Amino acid sequence: MPIDQIKLTSFRNHAETSMSFGPGINVIWGENGSGKTSVLEAVHILSIGKSFKTNRINETVKHNTDVSRIEARFTKNEKKETISFSQSTDRRRQLKINDTVVKAREIVGKNPAVLLSPEEQKITKGTPGDRRGYFNKLYSTVSGEYFKSLSIFTRTLKQRNAVLKNPNQKEQFNTWDDLLAESAETIWKHRICFNSKYNECLKTVSKMYNKNSVSISLNTDDTKKTKDEISTELKKREQIDLRNKSTSFGPHKDDFTFLFNNTPVKQFGSQGEHKISLVLIKLAEYMFIKNETNQTPTLLLDDLFAKLDFERSDAVLALLEKKSQTIITNTDLVDIEKHGIDLNDPNNKSFHLERQCSN
Ligand SMILES: Nc1ncnc2c1ncn2[C@@H]1O[C@H](COP(=O)(O)OP(=O)(O)OP(=O)(O)O)[C@@H](O)[C@H]1O
Ligand SMILES: [Mg+2]
């Protein structure tokens, strides 16, 4: 669902900024600190309800103000739709679709976005938790059932772990274990199916980008587990869990390993291999969302030209489909011209941001 217009109020360094986007390539340019990445962050929040820069989303409220607001207008099947998100410093938030207050799960998947930014390099370089976070976000985007089961699982796990820290409440185990096993079964069922589809996308993009015969794939343990098997395993580990005061079995322990030419990229990848792996991962993500939802995600390319050499960034642009809405940030327009992006094309737009003195 392409974004027609976005308005940021008291968001990061933006006091009030409005931008209209075209359905093609949109370039946001300006000096360091002018607020380019913040615009992508705002689009990302409207897409998934979360920032990619912080878990404490109230940090995005402009200093010395109380409430931030992001509002965007979309066109879907020729109908206009408005999604807004307001956030206060005291952690209250409100999401609306066309003036109706909604829960986060109602916006997830409505306007999928794929983000390629320096922060996302944690997918290949970061902890197993970073990779789980990546796949949880992606699979939630394409499946409401996954999103719901994950929310139940996360909440229940927290409660079970609290009980583990307080053995006086030991009799509550069975209540939590049942809920935990049920949601874990659904999460694993979806993960097994999605992992295989996602891997196919990785194979396809690796073939498309075949300059250096690169292959990237995902390695996971996809053994099917039923609710009963999960409950039995939880019971079996009760003593260990009580000793360690945390739950040792479940989807929160899954490991997603990316292989670059059959070798784990996290341990052995060179800087360049990490970068190209991330690009292929993102292109596969784009393809996966498109296949699963029939929607074309908006591509958010933060600092693409600063992070990739000319040849690689050109390869990324060549792989983009012409009909996908793309938002690129850069400090100037020189790289944009070098890559042959025509800003006179009526589908493309550019927006210049200036650093505000009152930051
Ligand atoms: N809550 C906030 N209130 C006010 N200003 C903030 C807040 N959070 C961040 N900033 C400031 O907003 C500015 C914009 O940051 P942003 O990352 O969007 O810039 P950018 O244009 O992407 O810069 P770069 O080219 O360096 O990547 C920074 O100067 C940052 O210090
Ligand atoms: Mg930036």
Side-chain angles (χ1 to χ4, degrees):
M1 186 161 73
I3 309 168
D4 300 330
Q5 217 173 36
I6 192 160
K7 186 173 162 195
L8 313 181
T9 312
S10 300
F11 182 82
R12 297 283 189 194
N13 64 324
H14 296 268
E16 190 156 313
T17 303
S18 291
M19 279 181 198
S20 31
F21 294 134
I25 296 180
N26 299 276
V27 179
I28 303 174
W29 64 287
E31 61 180 312
N32 299 129
S34 55
K36 305 177 295 291
T37 302
S38 305
V39 179
L40 301 189
E41 187 184 18
V43 173
H44 188 269
I45 290 174
L46 288 186
S47 165
I48 191 109
K50 285 190 173 136
S51 158
F52 59 81
K53 294 200 77 168
T54 175
N55 287 328
R56 292 179 294 273
I57 205 165
N58 54 331
E59 282 176 5
T60 60
V61 179
K62 191 176 188 333
H63 298 150
N64 306 318
T65 63
D66 301 323
V67 186
S68 69
R69 189 176 154 80
I70 311 163
E71 187 181 295
R73 268 217 338 253
F74 300 85
T75 309
K76 191 177 190 184
N77 305 329
E78 288 167 22
K79 276 213 306 235
K80 300 267 179 230
E81 192 164 87
T82 305
I83 302 183
S84 70
F85 179 94
S86 53
Q87 172 71 50
S88 66
T89 39
D90 60 7
R91 293 202 168 81
R92 275 179 298 152
R93 72 187 58 170
Q94 194 174 61
L95 270 160
K96 279 186 183 170
I97 300 179
N98 296 335
D99 292 327
T100 308
V101 177
V102 294
K103 292 228 166 11
R105 67 166 178 268
E106 288 178 66
I107 63 151
V108 177
K110 260 185 115 36
N111 161 46
V114 170
L115 166 77
L116 180 58
S117 82
E119 278 86 2
E120 291 293 275
Q121 196 68 66
K122 66 175 186 276
I123 299 168
T124 68
K125 287 193 169 169
T127 62
D130 289 324
R131 274 175 291 285
R132 277 193 298 274
Y134 169 68
F135 283 104
N136 281 338
K137 205 165 79 183
L138 177 58
Y139 295 167
S140 294
T141 300
V142 302
S143 162
E145 202 186 346
Y146 187 90
F147 182 87
K148 198 170 147 208
S149 301
L150 185 68
S151 311
I152 297 172
F153 179 82
T154 310
R155 210 172 40 238
T156 316
L157 183 69
K158 236 184 181 170
Q159 282 156 330
R160 187 183 196 266
N161 285 343
V163 172
L164 287 171
K165 290 185 179 87
N166 184 358
N168 296 340
Q169 301 171 1
K170 212 177 143 216
E171 67 281 0
Q172 285 185 26
F173 261 139
N174 294 342
T175 339
W176 300 132
D177 282 9
D178 204 51
L179 258 179
L180 208 63
E182 194 174 306
S183 47
E185 184 190 37
T186 315
I187 292 170
W188 268 323
K189 186 185 86 192
H190 281 91
R191 275 192 191 164
I192 292 168
C193 165
F194 289 151
N195 287 346
S196 130
K197 289 179 173 178
Y198 179 88
N199 232 340
E200 282 305 310
C201 295
L202 274 177
K203 253 195 229 158
T204 311
V205 294
S206 299
K207 269 197 209 127
M208 280 158 69
Y209 180 90
N210 59 3
K211 283 222 170 72
N212 305 308
S213 49
V214 162
S215 99
I216 173 138
S217 57
L218 176 69
N219 195 16
T220 45
D221 166 20
D222 285 343
T223 327
K224 204 164 183 298
K225 299 166 191 86
T226 64
K227 186 183 164 189
D228 287 346
E229 286 164 346
I230 300 166
S231 295
T232 311
E233 192 63 32
L234 283 168
K235 199 101 219 104
K236 214 164 86 188
R237 291 172 183 240
E238 206 174 282
Q239 287 312 315
I240 306 175
D241 288 357
L242 272 168
R243 229 183 3 260
N244 296 331
K245 298 184 175 23
S246 82
T247 305
S248 59
F249 179 72
H252 63 297
K253 293 284 173 188
D254 274 1
D255 215 351
F256 295 85
T257 308
F258 283 107
L259 304 176
F260 185 91
N261 293 344
N262 298 321
T263 312
V265 64
K266 153 97 178 156
Q267 286 99 317
F268 302 105
S270 70
Q271 291 288 356
E273 286 167 353
H274 273 283
K275 282 189 199 170
I276 196 60
S277 298
L278 182 64
V279 169
L280 296 178
I281 285 167
K282 288 290 155 178
L283 292 169
E285 177 182 337
Y286 176 85
M287 189 179 281
F288 176 78
I289 295 176
K290 225 177 143 195
N291 291 348
E292 292 305 305
T293 64
N294 259 333
Q295 292 205 66
T296 310
T298 298
L299 265 156
L300 310 175
L301 306 178
D302 194 19
D303 264 345
L304 174 72
F305 303 115
K307 294 293 165 216
L308 292 178
D309 55 38
F310 186 84
E311 206 185 326
R312 285 194 182 117
S313 49
D314 222 32
V316 175
L317 292 171
L319 291 178
L320 298 184
E321 289 180 45
K322 295 283 168 282
K323 50 188 183 310
S324 57
Q325 185 179 47
T326 305
I327 309 175
I328 302 181
T329 68
N330 205 42
T331 43
D332 54 52
L333 290 176
V334 179
D335 296 307
I336 306 293
E337 281 159 12
K338 271 202 275 184
H339 283 277
I341 296 170
D342 179 9
L343 291 174
N344 292 319
D345 181 324
N347 289 322
N348 299 341
K349 284 217 160 100
S350 71
F351 198 96
H352 181 227
L353 281 178
E354 289 193 22
R355 211 187 148 93
Q356 298 174 9
C357 308
S358 58
N359 271 358

